[in-house]
Amino acid sequence: MSRREAGLQRTWARILEVAQLHLGDDPLRESLRFVKLSAMTPAEVRLQVPSRTVMVALMERGLPALRAAVTEVAGSRQVQLELPANDQGVLFNDLGPEQERPGSPVIGTLTPKYTFERFVVGASNQFAHAACQAVTTQPGDHYNPLFIYGGVGLGKTHLVQAIAHQLLRARTGYRVAYQSSELFMNALIASLRRDQMAEFKKRYRTLDLLILDDVQQLAGRERTQEEFFHTFNALHEARTQIVLTSDTVPKDIPHLEERLRSRFEWGLIADIQAPDIETRVAIIQKKAEVEGIPIGPDVALFLAEQVSSNVRELEGALNRLGAEASFGGATISIETVRRVLHTVAAGRSRAVSFEDIR
């Protein structure tokens, strides 16, 4: 890979993180991980999407987030979406990369950087971090299922993927599935539509580790809940480790069947809270070191003071600072942070309350 191509891929990775930040807890955020950069010119960014399903979803509600992210990271450009040349127009599929590849031990896509080594531990996440590490020592025996809950962008996905990375390194032939609830539902729909439920059940019930992200998205989906109930029972009886994440505790997930709710509470429930300022500074410094972003202690402290809502927003701001430094060659100062945060805030829409109008 040439230096220019490597630079484009780094820029696209930053655009992707900022776009996911803009989408918040929208399920479309997970699908963005499968969008590929086709080309980038001074006038436009061309993106290849894995399927017509994702294309429709992006056209309906994802383009504003993508355009805003491109503008924040790379400046104003048009965003063009295109399908793969071999697209056959299947409306429901496993979203391309989520399909099980022959010989692959993983169903789904794990992010390489989401390891325990890169996770910053603080008072807000110490218990959840310890529980995840304990699971890797005796999977299926300790805390099964392990249920991690917390707000958007606090590190749930990082922690549960770290479990997968650790077990894949330690155990030969280990079979792992990491999926969001939306992608699990899409896979179920595809199997029903193609009359392939036997293959679906074999795929998910012969695992060594199942990680299901954002289980609150199962709410109200009766057929998906029924299938996941039977999958859960089969895996639990086989002492297969199950790891779940949600934005709230099981008892507060609306329209969730009671039999599933009770099973989610069988093991250990651990929460992740918003990080304190010391942890935020440590997160900034660690990510800056990994990404090669030149940032001083005073700037890290100032950024941590200004962004306190969640880790994803903090990393998004740092990505923007890194882009500023790489494109403009400027030193990152407190003034740079102020300008970047002002730009990000100006691009966000704000809910208007009755009190605002009055």
Side-chain angles (χ1 to χ4, degrees):
M1 182 183 294
S2 69
R3 182 176 298 179
R4 182 178 181 277
E5 290 172 335
L8 284 175
Q9 290 304 318
R10 285 196 298 271
T11 300
W12 169 239
R14 287 170 179 157
I15 290 172
L16 189 59
E17 290 194 34
V18 175
Q20 290 174 323
L21 171 65
H22 279 290
L23 284 170
D25 58 357
D26 190 314
L28 187 58
R29 173 170 56 85
E30 294 299 320
S31 299
L32 271 186
R33 295 186 295 120
F34 310 124
V35 176
K36 306 294 184 184
L37 177 66
S38 294
M40 182 182 293
T41 70
E44 70 173 9
V45 174
R46 290 206 306 275
L47 304 175
Q48 187 180 94
V49 297
S51 70
R52 293 182 183 273
T53 307
V54 179
M55 171 75 86
V56 171
L58 284 175
M59 293 294 289
E60 287 179 347
R61 66 181 194 275
L63 270 180
L66 275 172
R67 287 174 180 146
V70 168
T71 300
E72 287 181 28
V73 174
S76 180
R77 286 173 167 86
Q78 292 292 322
V79 176
Q80 303 291 337
L81 303 180
E82 57 189 29
L83 288 166
N86 62 350
D87 178 76
Q88 300 300 312
V90 179
L91 287 179
F92 295 102
N93 58 23
D94 297 59
L95 294 182
E98 289 293 351
Q99 293 177 347
E100 185 175 7
R101 296 176 296 279
S104 171
V106 181
I107 300 173
T109 301
L110 297 174
T111 305
K113 66 181 180 180
Y114 285 170
T115 62
F116 286 122
E117 292 79 11
R118 289 195 178 187
F119 189 81
V120 177
V121 182
S124 60
N125 56 34
Q126 189 172 17
F127 180 63
H129 176 265
C132 289
Q133 285 199 313
V135 159
T136 64
T137 61
Q138 288 182 287
D141 294 328
H142 279 321
Y143 316 135
N144 199 19
L146 175 61
F147 191 101
I148 307 289
Y149 76 94
V152 174
L154 297 182
K156 301 187 298 294
T157 297
H158 187 147
L159 267 183
V160 298
Q161 287 200 24
I163 295 173
H165 283 300
Q166 183 86 352
L167 288 172
L168 285 168
R169 285 198 302 261
R171 299 173 182 240
T172 304
Y174 211 70
R175 285 179 46 81
V176 173
Y178 166 75
Q179 290 195 311
S180 68
S181 296
E182 182 186 34
L183 295 182
F184 180 85
M185 183 189 71
N186 285 348
L188 173 62
I189 291 172
S191 298
L192 289 168
R193 184 170 175 269
R194 300 167 188 163
D195 194 23
Q196 295 177 343
M197 281 304 296
E199 290 85 346
F200 178 90
K201 291 176 181 178
K202 181 180 179 182
R203 177 194 293 184
Y204 287 99
R205 298 184 189 183
T206 56
L207 295 167
D208 298 303
L209 170 66
L210 171 63
I211 303 172
L212 199 66
D213 228 342
D214 295 324
V215 294
Q216 75 276 1
Q217 293 173 7
L218 295 175
R221 297 172 172 176
E222 294 180 5
R223 182 66 179 86
T224 307
Q225 288 190 43
E226 179 183 355
E227 182 54 42
F228 185 66
F229 171 78
H230 295 301
T231 298
F232 183 103
N233 285 345
L235 293 176
H236 199 274
E237 288 174 8
R239 296 176 70 180
T240 293
Q241 181 65 51
I242 303 167
V243 180
L244 311 169
T245 77
S246 173
D247 60 3
T248 187
V249 290
K251 68 181 181 64
D252 290 338
I253 300 176
H255 310 297
L256 184 68
E257 292 182 6
E258 188 58 39
R259 58 181 182 173
L260 264 185
R261 194 188 316 274
S262 67
R263 279 159 177 76
F264 289 174
E265 295 172 344
W266 274 356
L268 179 68
I269 299 176
D271 71 318
I272 298 181
Q273 300 174 4
D276 54 33
I277 189 166
E278 292 84 2
T279 305
R280 296 200 300 274
V281 171
I283 290 169
I284 292 168
Q285 292 177 329
K286 188 160 192 173
K287 181 173 177 62
E289 180 184 352
V290 170
E291 300 291 339
I293 301 173
I295 187 169
D298 56 334
V299 177
L301 177 59
F302 180 77
L303 180 58
E305 289 173 338
Q306 301 304 308
V307 182
S308 59
S309 55
N310 63 56
V311 176
R312 190 175 298 137
E313 185 172 355
L314 199 63
E315 292 184 342
L318 186 59
N319 285 333
R320 173 65 173 164
L321 289 172
E324 288 265 336
S326 61
F327 291 142
T331 302
I332 298 176
S333 64
I334 289 177
E335 271 309 310
T336 311
V337 177
R338 284 198 179 99
R339 185 174 68 255
V340 166
L341 293 181
H342 176 74
T343 303
V344 173
R348 294 197 188 114
S349 60
R350 185 174 69 88
V352 180
S353 68
F354 175 77
E355 285 301 314
D356 292 331
I357 298 171
R358 186 172 69 84

